[in-house]
Amino acid sequence: MTTSSSPRPSRPWGTLGAGAAAVAACAVCCAGPILAVLGCVGVTSAIGALWMPTLAVLAVAAGLGFLVVAHRRRTTACRTAPDRADLGMPTVGPPPPAAGGTAAH
């Protein structure tokens, strides 16, 4: 009995090589979207790091402006007039006679 040998030697690394190629293809294919998501998270964090202190400063400035306006309105509303006010109080008694005319009884 004679055994025949195959013309190509057996390669046990063929399956492992195909798996490595699949992993490399997946890494190349998915790297762009993964990096895009991570980049968006980074950009959003940077904007948040700059935007939140700006909002805080604007909120403090708006609060101070409100207090200043309220204080000015309060002090203006409580001032009194420097002169005497003529209230036009009516006199008690008969009306005075008209000038140049005679009073009829």
Side-chain angles (χ1 to χ4, degrees):
M1 243 194 195
T2 61
T3 60
S4 66
S5 64
S6 72
R8 285 191 316 194
S10 173
R11 294 189 174 176
W13 298 101
T15 306
L16 186 61
V23 169
C26 179
V28 169
C29 177
C30 295
I34 290 173
L35 290 177
V37 168
L38 293 177
C40 288
V41 169
V43 168
T44 305
S45 297
I47 290 172
L50 297 175
W51 185 249
M52 294 310 265
T54 303
L55 287 178
V57 168
L58 289 176
V60 169
L64 288 175
F66 175 76
L67 290 176
V68 167
V69 168
H71 179 70
R72 285 184 182 174
R73 284 185 180 175
R74 197 175 320 124
T75 56
T76 303
C78 295
R79 289 189 183 155
T80 58
D83 280 342
R84 295 178 77 184
D86 183 18
L87 299 178
M89 297 297 288
T91 57
V92 178
T102 59
H105 289 311

